[in-house]
Each structure stands twice: as structure tokens, then as C-alpha cells.
Amino acid sequence: MIRKRRKRLDWLTLICLSLCLSVAVTWTRFYPAEISQTTVTASEEIRGVWITNVNSGVLFVPGGTQRALDQLSQLNFNTVYPVFWNRGTTFYRSAIARRVTGRFQDILLNFVHLGEDVFSDIISQAHQRDLRVIPWFEYGLMAPINSQLVKRHPEWVTLPQSFRFSATPSLKELENALLPNYPPSNKNAGWFGIKNVWLNPLHPQVQRFIEDLIIEVVIKYDVDGIQFDDNFGMPIELGYDWYTRKVYKEEHGGKLPPNNPADPEWMRWRANKITAFMKTLHDRIKAVKPDCLISLAPNPREFAYNESLQDWQTWVKQGLIEELILQVYRDSPQAFLSELEDPAIREIRGKIPVGIGILSGTMAHAVDIEQIQQQVQVVRDRQFQGVSFFYWETLWSYFTPDAPRERRRVFETLFSPSPS
């Protein structure tokens, strides 16, 4: 069990590192510098930002979220995507999480706010400022190996090909599985070197847990929608756990899954199972709250399918999602434009609103305001529905490469009452 004192030290270390960040990004001038008119009106345009606990202290500072929402409202943002789940824990008081993990809320959040319902406060304050609130299922099915969720349910974890465990692997077996290659992805390493595993989206108990969490939020809070992200899938290297192998054999005349994780049929079979799970989630959400928007913030189509078996193009065709915010975190102007011009994006734009996720910076990668300004212009020039920025802490904080006041001034220009 992670003790409160250790968690608090980790958080303080994170804040200190954040304040020391001074990395600058070189930008090649390629986009038009002027902000021109778009046919998407200010009231229709998505002007969003993700609010997370990762490399960010806004949730843990008393009054932090109120100040953040005040600034966003003053600068004419209209949508927030606050984290309500990541890394095996919830950021609201969850009876479902308590039942499954033994904890009803993130330890540090609970410690700082003394058990107060910060999530409810965010929703109430955001709506008072005419901001849409679409809670974000961040990190999807990823969870740290040392989380209470994984410790209590190691059988829920999906595994790479090189491991053959029983239906109920021990935590020690999982830890051994992580040592060399689980899976070969940079997403493996979490905070302070803690490794992540993936819950199996095909496992019925995992599905029930995720469904119950989502429905709990939809029923308990006055949310405008729910958003899933790029980690709501399964890395291509995984799926060789006992349960998935059993189901595959039952549906393939006793055959085991191919040794090649990139085998087209094996990829399609797993992707279809994830799509079926997404349909179940869609149907349950709509059954309890028909007007709850189902949003998705995926990686570009080819990467999403080939790396995470996330077939979001099919999800759109089947009517399972109603808003798509494509993550296009690219510094290169050519790479940024290339993702916007994907034929799959052109195809779905006539079906649902499509916005573009723009990187405003990370703890290790600063993004200057000129790049942000120019990328917003490219999105508008191509008549997308709007933008969302990853993430709040890097919009105009003190570890950005430009002065916070200058960055806020640019956002004020970008998000004037009528985009121009």
C-alpha cells in the first residue's frame, strides 16, 4: 500500500520539477500568421482543455480549480474535460471503486481536500460559467502494477505472448512478466519508473467494472458527456492471457491465437471484441441518460488501430461516439497537416463533430505560443469543429517558454466572442 506521506512527497517533487522546466521548442514558420474568419461560430466551436492530475497540481491546490475555471471562462473557453479516472483510481467519491479496489478516491486528492467531493464542485462551478463538463476516462485500461486494482485482481490483466499463466496469476507472476517486455512500449513506464499493465477489455469482470464506473458518474453527476481516450483499447502485443486465449479457441475450432501479434485476422478479432464492448457501454449510457454525449479523443486512425486495436472509424460508423477530438500532437507543420487530411477524417466529419487536440506542452516538452496560435489557425482554415488543448497546466503557467500574461493575451485573441 502506498502511504500518504510518500504520495505527498511525490507530488511535491513533481511540482518542483515542473517549476524548473525551461525547455524551448523551435518552430519552423509554415502556417499563416494571421487569424482569419471561420464558418464555425463561437457558440458552435469547441474550445476545450483537458484537466488532469498527471504533472499538474491544479486539483490538489485549495481553490485551484475555481481559479482555473475563472480564467477559462474569462478567455471564452467553453468545454472542460476533467479527469475522473486514471491509473487505477477515481477522482470522485466512488462506491464502485471502493467495492473493487478498497479505495473510494485518489489518496492525495482525498488527503488535500479532506474527503470533499471536488468533482462535484468542478461540475457546479463550470456550469455556472457556461462551460460544458465532459469527464475524461484518462489512461483508459492502463493501471500501475502496484495499484490496489491490480493487486486485488491480477487475473484481470492481459498478457504478452511469451507468458502462459493460469486463469488466476499471482501478483508475483505479473511482476516477473513485466521485467523484460510488457509490452515494448514507452507507455510502460509511469511516474517514478512504476510500470503499467493493461486490464483486459475482453474479460467480463473488467467490462462490468468499467461499465459500473461510467454509469455511476453519469447517474451521480450532472455531466454533459463522457470521454474515452487513446488508451481505451489493447496494445497489439497483448491478448495472450488465459481468458482471451480460451475465448479465441472456442471461436476458432480449438486453434490458439497466432504467434504473430500483427496477424490481420487476430488483430481484427480483438478489435471487434473491443468494438462490441464499446457498443455495450454506449447502450448502457444512453439507457440511463439519452442526452449524455459520448466523446472520444483517439490517436490518428492508422496508429490507433495498428498499435492499440482501437477501430474508432467503425465506432463512428456504428453510431457509438458523437464527438471526436483527434490528438494531433505534432511540432512539424507538415506532420500536423498530414493528420488533418487523413481521408478517414474527411469521411466522418459529415457524421459527427470533429475537433483537433493540440499539444500546449508537457512537463518535458515546452510548446511556444506561436506554434499553438498557428495550429489553431490551420484547424479553423479547414473548418474543423474546434480544438482542445493538452493540458491545463501548460496553457499559461510559469514553466511555459513564453510569459503567462502573453500566452493569456493570445488565447484572448484566439477565443474572442467571434473567432476572427
Side-chain angles (χ1 to χ4, degrees):
M1 179 180 294
I2 301 175
R3 300 193 181 277
K4 294 180 181 178
R5 184 176 179 183
R6 173 62 184 275
K7 289 286 283 185
R8 187 174 184 181
L9 287 174
D10 288 348
W11 176 70
L12 291 173
T13 301
L14 172 63
I15 297 301
C16 291
L17 290 172
S18 298
L19 293 174
C20 292
L21 179 64
S22 60
V23 180
V25 177
T26 300
W27 177 259
T28 304
R29 294 182 180 275
F30 183 80
Y31 298 133
E34 296 182 358
I35 303 297
S36 62
Q37 185 67 35
T38 173
T39 59
V40 179
T41 66
S43 61
E44 295 172 333
E45 185 177 50
I46 299 167
R47 300 172 172 184
V49 63
W50 284 285
I51 298 176
T52 179
N53 67 305
V54 180
N55 294 346
S56 176
V58 64
L59 296 177
F60 307 111
V61 177
T65 55
Q66 180 175 344
R67 289 191 293 272
L69 295 171
D70 280 341
Q71 287 186 326
L72 292 171
S73 176
Q74 291 164 8
L75 296 177
N76 296 307
F77 281 74
N78 59 23
T79 304
V80 290
Y81 301 98
V83 60
F84 76 93
W85 158 274
N86 74 24
R87 302 188 310 134
T89 190
T90 59
F91 289 81
Y92 67 97
R93 297 175 66 87
S94 170
I96 302 301
R98 184 192 287 275
R99 185 189 73 207
V100 174
T101 71
R103 294 174 179 166
F104 65 85
Q105 190 170 248
D106 173 79
I107 293 176
L108 182 57
L109 188 73
N110 190 53
F111 174 71
V112 172
H113 295 278
L114 302 177
E116 294 179 3
D117 193 338
V118 179
F119 197 66
S120 178
D121 192 44
I122 290 174
I123 294 169
S124 174
Q125 291 187 36
H127 282 163
Q128 290 173 22
R129 294 160 177 77
D130 294 323
L131 294 164
R132 287 193 312 166
V133 183
I134 302 178
W136 174 31
F137 196 70
E138 188 184 10
Y139 275 68
L141 298 163
M142 293 172 65
I145 184 66
N146 67 343
S147 64
Q148 287 296 107
L149 176 59
V150 174
K151 287 179 178 180
R152 287 189 170 209
H153 299 283
E155 74 280 7
W156 287 6
V157 173
T158 182
L159 297 165
Q161 178 188 351
S162 53
F163 299 94
R164 301 286 189 270
F165 295 141
S166 65
T168 55
S170 68
L171 186 64
K172 186 64 176 177
E173 286 177 312
L174 288 182
E175 290 172 341
N176 290 337
L178 282 171
L179 292 178
N181 56 356
Y182 178 97
S185 166
N186 59 6
K187 290 180 179 178
N188 231 356
W191 282 7
F192 308 104
I194 297 172
K195 294 208 170 187
N196 294 307
V197 293
W198 268 261
L199 304 180
N200 186 356
L202 279 61
H203 197 294
Q205 293 177 4
V206 172
Q207 292 184 353
R208 180 61 184 271
F209 172 58
I210 300 303
E211 290 170 29
D212 289 349
L213 281 178
I214 301 295
I215 297 305
E216 181 180 49
V217 170
V218 171
I219 292 175
K220 186 175 181 178
Y221 298 101
D222 181 23
V223 300
D224 299 295
I226 290 288
Q227 185 180 77
F228 301 92
D229 75 357
D230 56 312
N231 290 310
F232 195 77
M234 176 193 291
I236 188 174
E237 300 90 350
L238 303 181
Y240 292 91
D241 54 273
W242 178 87
Y243 180 80
T244 305
R245 284 157 50 88
K246 177 177 78 73
V247 175
Y248 186 89
K249 286 173 64 178
E250 290 171 354
E251 297 184 10
H252 291 80
K255 286 185 178 181
L256 288 170
N259 290 331
N260 176 15
D263 177 88
E265 189 277 333
W266 172 223
M267 287 179 63
R268 174 49 54 192
W269 183 83
R270 286 174 290 169
N272 286 347
K273 294 292 186 185
I274 296 170
T275 296
F277 179 31
M278 190 65 201
K279 184 178 188 310
T280 299
L281 284 169
H282 169 276
D283 292 349
R284 284 201 66 189
I285 291 169
K286 293 300 182 180
V288 299
K289 190 172 184 179
D291 62 347
C292 181
L293 181 80
I294 301 178
S295 177
L296 179 71
N299 278 310
R301 173 183 55 93
E302 187 174 340
F303 185 91
Y305 182 76
N306 291 334
E307 297 295 326
S308 299
L309 302 170
Q310 189 183 64
D311 185 11
W312 55 255
Q313 190 174 14
T314 294
W315 297 4
V316 174
K317 290 178 180 178
Q318 293 186 8
L320 306 182
I321 55 177
E322 300 159 298
E323 174 191 88
L324 188 136
I325 309 295
L326 185 71
Q327 296 181 33
V328 187
Y329 302 157
R330 307 286 186 271
D331 291 331
S332 161
Q334 294 85 351
F336 188 82
L337 283 169
S338 176
E339 299 296 357
L340 269 57
E341 294 171 353
D342 180 3
I345 292 295
R346 289 200 297 269
E347 179 184 344
I348 70 170
R349 286 181 63 184
K351 296 178 170 52
I352 63 172
V354 177
I356 301 300
I358 292 176
L359 183 66
S360 54
T362 67
M363 182 176 170
H365 181 81
V367 175
D368 64 54
I369 193 61
E370 184 181 10
Q371 174 172 320
I372 294 169
Q373 182 177 9
Q374 292 169 336
Q375 288 188 347
V376 170
Q377 182 55 49
V378 170
V379 170
R380 284 179 170 168
D381 284 346
R382 282 150 185 80
Q383 307 301 325
F384 281 88
Q385 194 68 32
V387 295
S388 184
F389 298 97
F390 184 80
Y391 53 99
W392 154 256
E393 206 80 8
T394 58
L395 290 177
W396 46 72
S397 72
Y398 286 97
F399 59 83
T400 53
D402 317 286
R405 181 179 298 177
E406 170 62 17
R407 287 173 79 96
R408 285 194 293 271
R409 186 196 65 77
V410 172
F411 277 104
E412 184 176 21
T413 301
L414 286 174
F415 291 161
S416 60
S418 177
S420 57

